[in-house]
Amino acid sequence: MSYIAKPSAHHPALPRNALGLTRRDYEGSMSTLCAGCGHDSITAAIIEACYEMDLPAHRIAKISGIGCSSKAPTYFLSRSHGFNSVHGRMPSVTTGANMANRDLVYIGVSGDGDTASIGLGQFCHAVRRKLNMTYIVMNNGCYGLTKGQFSATNDKNSPSKKGEANPFDAIDLCQMAIQLGAGFVARSFSGDKRQLLPLIQAAISYKGFAFIDVISPCVTFNNHPASTKSYEYVRMHNMASENKLDYVEPKEEITTDYDEGTSTSVELHDGSHLMLFKVGEGHDPRDSDAAIHTIRTNAAKGTIVTGLLYVNENQQDLHDVLGTDERPLNGIAMSELCPGSKALEAINARLR
Amino acid sequence: MQASEIAARSRRRGRTPPTDISDPQYFHKVVDCQWACPTHTPVPEYIRLIAQGRYSAAYMLNWESNVFPGILGRVCDRPCEPACRRGRIQVGDEGNAKDPSKKNAEPVAICRLKRVAADYKGEIDSFLPEIPTQKNGKRVALIGGGPASLAVARDLMPLGYDITLFERDPVPGGLMRTNIPSFRLPASVLDEEVGRILDFGVEARFGAEIRSLKKLLGEGYDAIFVGTGAPKGKDLELPGRKEAAANIHIGIDWLTSVAFGHVEKIGRRVVVIGGGNTAMDCCRTALRLGAESVTVTVRSPRKVMKASDWEIKDALHEGIPILDNHAPKSFVVKDGKLVGMTFEKMVQTGVDAKGRPKLEASGEIVTIDCDDVLMAIGQENAFPWIERDIGMTFNEWGQPAVDRRTFMSSIPGVFFGGDAAWGPENIIWAVSHGHQAAISIDAYCHGRSLVDRPKPGHTLVSQKMGIHEWSYSNNYDPQKRQAVPHATLEASLKNLKLEVELGFDDRIAAREVERCLNCDVQTVFTDNLCIECDACMDICPVDCINFTENDDEADLRQELRVPALNMSQSLYVSGPLKTGRIMAKDEDVCLHCGLCAERCPTGAWDMQKFAYAEAQAASACLSHHNAYLG
Ligand SMILES: Cc1cc2nc3c(=O)[nH]c(=O)nc-3n(C[C@H](O)[C@H](O)[C@H](O)COP(=O)(O)OP(=O)(O)OC[C@H]3O[C@@H](n4cnc5c(N)ncnc54)[C@H](O)[C@@H]3O)c2cc1C
Ligand SMILES: Cc1ncc(C[n+]2csc(CCOP(=O)(O)OP(=O)(O)O)c2C)c(N)n1
Ligand code: SF4
Ligand code: SF4
Ligand code: SF4
Ligand SMILES: [Mg+2]
């Protein structure tokens, strides 16, 4: 962390979005994470995504658990709603919020410890329920906040900084998410904003459960060359199967620059598109089996597939499934929300 | 990202080579104020010294560069201020006097801080260079006692030269004495700083006009320096000029007469013709000599007036109207006496190739009644005392040809500087010429090459004190530029000698110093340490830093996070990084806040103080600079 606040001055020619805001208006307070932490880079990508999508900050809720990663929401969107919850409990808090107000954009931030250990059950049920949210795991293969113990996503062949071997196999959160029915599953790398930014934009546009596992090196405890979560390793083994991608906003037209044979367009619920450019073999991101196959075969070779892994363009979200009211609870009159003891008695009478 | 950008990414790209930061001029240019200062005064260093209350050291650092800190801290033309980076970052509320629709940029008050160093300094005699009692046997003649000649004397005396200064006037100082009014520059300040140089043992002869260069050349000097200024004010030959001569005055001559007390009053209604600083001094002086109404007329629109913004403001503040687009036509004479002037109003019809307004006469004639006219329409060099048969080459404008690098004329051993060299400039340029001429004179007298100029001194030293601690105040202070207190208008207009600007006191100065961005503390990047984590790019408050594919500079500038459109500012480009990309930093609006270096996990960025000092003839004059160069 720094002793000085980030200067209020910004570049005089800094562009403004449709709301008249600059990128700087989407920042939070000064990061207290270690210098070079991947989480800060993801923070910057979230700021950029919200700025570019012209999102009004007060229509966004950012929710997290516990960990360095879960501290990150403090460092973006200082004008949004926020809830820094309990370890592993981000999904249930988000579920509650989302049920109460379906009109907000939900950005959940968690860590690999927060999600794959203590919060694994919570994670599974948020996926299964198809909660309309963007779930970002800042994945560094360790518990950064508590001094770098192995997390459940640390690869078996990836030793600790001091050289200790990791005796357990890793949990692959993307495979789990696909199996549990997530509609949008992607993996990315904090050091590759060109890929990460459009993925975050698409995930926010996606209506349903959108999951992004972002490999995010912990410079302090897990960035040694032998670590499979280090900058160096990820850069050398990143098989970006859909490396080049592009987010096209609803108002923009898709131009013919996109080459038919090598590109796929994924339409998102708000009319925006994610354009995918295949390099090498690739797989059809609409085919969940193929997605899991690609992840597994690459992992066996020690390579990491990043990009959009799986998408179901027709997923229904939890509100659709439950057939809830179109309106957020705060838009429903008290008399309707709480019809009173007479109504309760009538219900009870029906059950007797 | 747009499809067109994707297409752009796949086209063949050019390449910008890595920046050579071993060239001292690279980082020198980043220090906008120092780069813009003709004598390259280390501004941020003296501002930090003032912040620490080390006024004498701040004064000496100035004195070594610019010779007249007390004078320049009041009346310098201050080219550093429009160049100051702070003015590109914070634009203030204050309207511009030339174009009220424009807001003034708010550079650091560099000039006023210089005055603080002069006003608050303690005893400095012990810091002055030693003057050898054993002379070096070389005799140099200086013609004119203005800032150019005095700077030459300051630089050569510590080397043991025997110097004779010839001045036509009874006192030294040149136009600083005779033309800059004492309500802007008190005589005491002038006496102190000019006296300091003469006290080095210069043989000064006053009332000694040089009437023949040929004769002087025969007197056996090893070198001669011509620092006679541009002493001739331009005249306007209009109808009525002769008849009204008694009430028509050449501005600079009139100001000289006022300075020497030969003129003590002026008519009731005065018209000043001209839009430069001389016009501003004339009108304000006329007001103090008792004129009831003073009007300034300018031929061109206000926007392109030559006078400095702050001088125009001061005149306006004293209630003097400035009428622009007024072209003088004739002097109106009645009964053999001046009673007014006629003007034809001009209209702007467009702009010429250089962007200057094109003017056309409108046919509308305006008469302004007046009792006296002051003409302040420019100066010319005049050298009636240089014979044309002594081998001096004159150029197509009838001026002596002077080499831009060595300051020597076509007669070996005869040097020029100040306004005499290439026409009217200002004090700080005169001093800069003086330094360069002194280097040449010393080389000439010792048979060394004049073309091989001595190199500047420079160092680059890390300022890191701890993980988040730097040896300079790196915090950005959003404070607005501090205003300078003025004497009351009522008191000022009654007293020709009362200094109008009171200067910053230590409390105002303490606020203003914090506005300086320490542009000399450089962001230094070591490419092989970078792991491309983006931390610096993400933290940078002004989006200077980019990680991108290389390209030729013109395209690279367009492709940055915020396009680098200020072509006067450099791009700092690294060699290829591990991913094959490069780091490209636009120096334009970097705040030197050090956050990039604080957020860098590998120390690839460091904040390093770049100290830079121009070479001078006598290194004895550079003792503070040498300490600062470490
Ligand atoms: C009204 C006015 C206001 C100005 N205000 C400012 C200002 O605020 N800030 C600023 O930076 N600049 C200002 N200037 C410009 C500045 O004063 C000059 O650029 C500067 O003084 C030039 O210095 P110099 O040494 O070349 O010549 P000068 O200062 O002109 O000195 C030349 C000296 O040589 C003497 N001399 C001339 N011929 C002979 C001879 N044949 N023999 C002996 N002696 C001779 C003259 O008497 C004079 O003393 C102003 C100029 C004017 C006219
Ligand atoms: C209920 C509970 N158990 C344990 C902890 C201790 N704890 C704090 S953070 C953390 C792990 C964080 O790891 P991760 O989610 O990966 O975040 P990172 O710091 O790596 O970003 C643990 C175990 C806690 N705060 N609360
Ligand atoms: S400990 Fe690791 S995860 Fe936590 S802030 Fe530092 S680098 Fe980031
Ligand atoms: S901010 Fe300070 S160092 Fe930078 S140009 Fe201005 S005065 Fe000079
Ligand atoms: S010092 Fe670094 S972080 Fe600060 S403005 Fe300059 S480049 Fe940006
Ligand atoms: Mg972790």
Side-chain angles (χ1 to χ4, degrees):
Chain A
M1 76 166 275
S2 291
Y3 292 154
I4 66 165
K6 184 162 173 172
S8 54
H10 63 71
H11 196 297
L14 197 59
R16 291 180 182 275
N17 66 12
L19 302 179
L21 301 173
T22 72
R23 180 195 292 147
R24 297 278 321 261
D25 295 318
Y26 289 83
E27 288 178 349
S29 54
M30 189 83 160
S31 172
T32 58
L33 302 181
C34 305
C37 178
H39 302 353
D40 279 338
S41 236
I42 304 170
T43 290
I46 295 171
I47 290 170
E48 187 77 29
C50 296
Y51 157 76
E52 280 195 6
M53 295 171 79
D54 308 320
L55 295 180
H58 68 285
R59 304 307 292 160
I60 302 174
K62 41 177 194 172
I63 298 132
S64 63
I66 295 290
C68 298
S69 33
S70 293
K71 283 168 71 177
T74 311
Y75 317 133
F76 59 81
L77 297 172
S78 57
R79 301 173 195 187
S80 294
H81 308 278
F83 199 127
N84 189 180
S85 74
V86 189
H87 203 16
R89 269 57 186 168
M90 179 273 277
S92 51
V93 175
T94 313
T95 307
N98 189 311
M99 285 290 92
N101 187 344
R102 59 190 289 167
D103 286 352
L104 299 184
V105 169
Y106 290 94
I107 300 177
V109 171
S110 178
D112 43 322
D114 198 59
T115 288
S117 293
I118 193 168
L120 195 63
Q122 295 246 327
F123 169 69
C124 292
H125 291 284
V127 182
R128 188 175 147 265
R129 285 172 175 156
K130 301 175 176 48
L131 199 62
N132 180 15
M133 71 176 294
T134 298
Y135 191 123
I136 295 175
V137 167
M138 299 182 173
N139 184 353
N140 53 16
C142 70
Y143 297 171
L145 191 72
T146 54
K147 291 202 180 302
Q149 300 85 348
F150 287 133
S151 78
T153 65
N154 196 66
D155 291 312
K156 193 171 178 186
N157 58 354
S158 179
S160 75
K161 194 176 174 180
K162 292 242 168 84
E164 275 164 83
N166 172 21
F168 302 114
D169 280 314
I171 290 177
D172 186 312
L173 291 170
C174 287
Q175 285 187 53
M176 273 188 87
I178 295 170
Q179 272 164 355
L180 292 164
F184 180 110
V185 178
R187 177 166 282 147
S188 191
F189 172 42
S190 68
D192 185 3
K193 281 211 190 63
R194 197 168 270 170
Q195 182 194 55
L196 180 56
L197 176 62
L199 283 176
I200 295 176
Q201 289 174 297
I204 291 174
S205 293
Y206 184 81
K207 186 174 154 236
F209 190 84
F211 179 70
I212 313 178
D213 177 33
V214 190
I215 301 172
S216 175
C218 168
V219 283
T220 303
F221 299 112
N222 204 8
N223 192 36
H224 38 290
S227 164
T228 61
K229 298 277 191 290
S230 65
Y231 281 105
E232 203 176 318
Y233 185 92
V234 180
R235 285 231 162 83
M236 280 168 59
H237 297 84
N238 187 349
M239 280 295 297
S241 75
E242 265 95 22
N243 193 9
K244 287 192 177 177
L245 34 77
D246 190 12
Y247 174 77
V248 185
E249 285 183 33
K251 53 184 185 274
E252 287 175 40
E253 238 183 85
I254 302 176
T255 55
T256 46
D257 279 79
Y258 295 104
D259 192 341
E260 273 299 312
T262 60
S263 64
T264 313
S265 156
V266 174
E267 189 173 352
L268 300 158
H269 299 78
D270 62 0
S272 59
H273 288 79
L274 190 64
M275 306 299 301
L276 308 176
F277 304 87
K278 290 210 181 80
V279 286
E281 289 161 32
H283 70 275
D284 178 1
R286 294 178 180 93
D287 179 340
S288 58
D289 291 343
I292 289 179
H293 178 75
T294 307
I295 299 170
R296 292 182 68 96
T297 47
N298 277 285
K301 287 186 281 182
T303 51
I304 308 158
V305 210
T306 60
L308 179 67
L309 301 171
Y310 174 67
V311 66
N312 172 358
E313 287 156 279
N314 306 312
Q315 190 174 61
Q316 291 202 309
D317 86 326
L318 181 54
H319 286 281
D320 299 331
V321 173
L322 296 180
T324 57
D325 198 292
E326 288 290 327
R327 298 165 295 172
L329 298 191
N330 63 14
I332 302 175
M334 202 55 192
S335 54
E336 217 182 316
L337 262 184
C338 185
S341 45
K342 273 226 175 92
L344 181 63
E345 271 166 32
I347 292 169
N348 284 342
R350 279 213 312 266
L351 299 175
R352 278 197 193 99
Chain B
M1 202 181 305
Q2 297 293 300
S4 54
E5 287 177 55
I6 301 239
R9 271 200 258 149
S10 51
R11 80 175 154 71
R12 262 184 78 113
R13 296 172 150 261
R15 182 178 166 272
T16 304
T19 303
D20 177 14
I21 59 166
S22 68
D23 175 359
Q25 299 310 332
Y26 179 76
F27 283 140
H28 183 196
K29 193 174 165 204
V30 175
V31 197
D32 298 287
C33 48
Q34 188 173 12
W35 176 258
C37 173
T39 65
H40 306 302
T41 305
V43 175
E45 180 74 7
Y46 85 64
I47 291 182
R48 284 189 296 268
L49 289 170
I50 292 171
Q52 295 161 17
R54 294 168 63 193
Y55 303 113
S56 299
Y59 182 84
M60 288 310 295
L61 204 62
N62 269 289
W63 185 79
E64 290 175 2
S65 294
N66 55 51
V67 186
F68 304 108
I71 295 170
L72 291 166
R74 291 171 166 81
V75 300
C76 187
D77 246 7
R78 47 195 100 151
C80 54
E81 291 197 13
C84 171
R85 171 172 306 245
R86 186 73 197 221
R88 296 198 293 278
I89 285 149
Q90 192 180 34
V91 172
D93 303 326
E94 211 186 337
N96 183 299
K98 294 185 202 180
D99 183 356
S101 70
K102 281 211 184 100
K103 296 285 176 230
N104 263 354
E106 295 202 308
V108 173
I110 301 172
C111 184
R112 272 141 196 176
L113 289 171
K114 194 188 305 297
R115 174 172 171 182
V116 169
D119 286 356
Y120 281 79
K121 70 177 184 303
E123 188 273 327
I124 57 144
D125 288 350
S126 55
F127 302 139
L128 296 178
E130 260 331 288
I131 306 301
T133 45
Q134 182 70 43
K135 297 292 166 188
N136 71 356
K138 306 285 182 191
R139 294 169 60 236
V140 176
L142 309 177
I143 315 178
S149 292
L150 291 166
V152 175
R154 203 278 315 246
D155 285 7
L156 293 183
M157 286 307 289
L159 293 172
Y161 282 85
D162 192 336
I163 293 181
T164 312
L165 180 148
F166 299 92
E167 168 56 60
R168 180 179 56 195
D169 289 336
V171 279
L175 289 179
M176 304 192 294
R177 171 90 58 183
T178 58
N179 266 243
I180 301 183
S182 43
F183 58 82
R184 286 207 291 126
L185 176 60
S188 57
V189 177
L190 201 51
D191 290 341
E192 179 196 319
E193 292 190 330
V194 171
R196 186 169 293 133
I197 297 168
L198 297 182
D199 290 348
F200 284 169
V202 174
E203 188 191 333
R205 300 197 192 153
F206 298 114
E209 179 169 359
I210 297 296
R211 294 205 169 84
S212 160
L213 181 59
K214 196 188 239 169
K215 183 162 165 285
L216 193 67
L217 283 168
E219 291 179 17
Y221 288 99
D222 293 287
I224 294 172
F225 176 78
V226 181
T228 50
K232 197 164 161 280
K234 288 188 191 158
D235 202 346
L236 265 184
E237 289 305 332
L238 295 176
R241 173 72 180 89
K242 274 205 194 72
E243 297 84 327
N247 294 94
I248 299 170
H249 319 276
I250 303 288
I252 66 166
D253 297 341
W254 181 79
L255 285 170
T256 304
S257 304
V258 173
F260 287 137
H262 304 322
V263 166
E264 286 174 331
K265 54 181 194 300
I266 192 153
R268 200 162 56 83
R269 299 157 309 170
V270 178
V271 166
V272 177
I273 304 173
N277 286 339
T278 305
M280 298 302 112
D281 282 338
C282 284
C283 66
R284 295 176 69 196
T285 301
L287 210 55
R288 284 162 172 77
L289 290 193
E292 281 168 23
S293 85
V294 179
T295 308
V296 174
T297 64
V298 196
R299 189 177 179 278
S300 46
R302 171 87 67 95
K303 261 185 222 166
V304 296
M305 268 175 76
K306 282 218 190 80
S308 315
D309 181 59
W310 59 89
E311 301 225 18
I312 299 175
K313 268 194 194 130
D314 285 342
L316 292 172
H317 177 69
E318 292 176 0
I320 299 168
I322 298 176
L323 308 179
D324 61 355
N325 298 317
H326 277 58
K329 273 278 162 212
S330 67
F331 298 97
V332 186
V333 186
K334 209 171 149 194
D335 303 330
K337 202 185 163 300
L338 179 79
V339 293
M341 263 209 91
T342 60
F343 296 87
E344 180 165 15
K345 283 186 98 175
M346 307 298 283
V347 282
Q348 186 174 343
T349 55
V351 285
D352 67 11
K354 282 185 182 155
R356 292 184 55 88
K358 265 197 265 179
L359 299 178
E360 235 168 55
S362 71
E364 184 189 343
I365 303 288
V366 186
T367 304
I368 303 177
D369 297 337
C370 63
D371 306 304
D372 277 291
V373 169
L374 299 171
M375 279 190 292
I377 51 172
Q379 285 160 258
E380 293 166 322
N381 290 30
F383 298 99
W385 52 278
I386 299 182
E387 293 81 353
R388 306 290 139 143
D389 60 354
I390 55 171
M392 174 91 59
T393 308
F394 284 79
N395 62 22
E396 50 185 308
W397 304 281
Q399 300 298 324
V402 180
D403 185 279
R404 291 259 169 200
R405 225 161 119 77
T406 64
F407 293 77
M408 194 159 78
S409 69
S410 58
I411 301 181
V414 177
F415 299 84
F416 282 70
D419 291 357
W422 298 288
E425 281 274 5
N426 54 36
I427 302 168
I428 191 65
W429 272 113
V431 172
S432 164
H433 291 177
H435 288 319
Q436 293 304 318
I439 290 173
S440 292
I441 292 170
D442 188 44
Y444 179 81
C445 289
H446 291 91
R448 295 193 306 265
S449 158
L450 302 196
V451 185
D452 296 336
R453 311 299 290 178
K455 297 208 161 30
H458 59 96
T459 53
L460 195 58
V461 178
S462 177
Q463 301 299 294
K464 201 173 175 75
M465 307 275 283
I467 299 182
H468 309 297
E469 263 178 299
W470 303 99
S471 67
Y472 69 106
S473 162
N474 61 325
N475 203 356
Y476 173 80
D477 188 338
Q479 182 134 240
K480 293 254 166 74
R481 179 178 163 114
Q482 302 290 308
V484 72
H486 280 209
T488 66
L489 197 54
E490 203 196 359
S492 295
L493 296 187
K494 272 200 231 119
N495 183 348
L496 183 61
K497 300 221 154 96
L498 182 73
E499 189 172 15
V500 173
E501 286 196 4
L502 303 178
F504 286 165
D505 62 22
D506 50 349
R507 298 206 326 273
I508 304 176
R511 287 196 289 275
E512 187 64 21
V513 289
E514 287 304 321
R515 299 185 65 241
C516 173
L517 300 169
N518 303 283
C519 301
D520 58 341
V521 181
Q522 305 287 349
T523 56
V524 179
F525 185 70
T526 309
D527 47 22
N528 59 16
L529 292 177
C530 175
I531 58 169
E532 296 173 70
C533 67
D534 284 358
C536 53
M537 178 177 96
D538 295 338
I539 194 71
C540 177
V542 282
D543 294 276
C544 295
I545 300 174
N546 301 262
F547 291 92
T548 175
E549 268 94 61
N550 204 341
D551 210 337
D552 50 67
E553 189 176 324
D555 289 324
L556 196 55
R557 281 179 171 270
Q558 294 292 337
E559 289 156 10
L560 302 185
R561 282 161 74 79
V562 180
L565 303 180
N566 183 351
M567 300 306 284
S568 70
Q569 292 282 322
S570 309
L571 277 195
Y572 182 1
V573 173
S574 78
L577 305 171
K578 291 194 185 74
T579 59
R581 297 183 301 173
I582 52 157
M583 185 290 301
K585 179 192 168 208
D586 179 8
E587 298 282 13
D588 187 12
V589 292
C590 170
L591 304 174
H592 299 263
C593 65
L595 286 177
C596 49
E598 278 189 35
R599 301 303 293 168
C600 178
T602 67
W605 285 105
D606 191 23
M607 302 305 293
Q608 301 186 0
K609 184 169 96 182
F610 174 72
Y612 177 95
E614 283 286 303
Q616 289 183 5
S619 62
C621 286
L622 293 178
S623 54
H624 284 76
H625 277 92
N626 293 337
Y628 142 82
L629 288 176

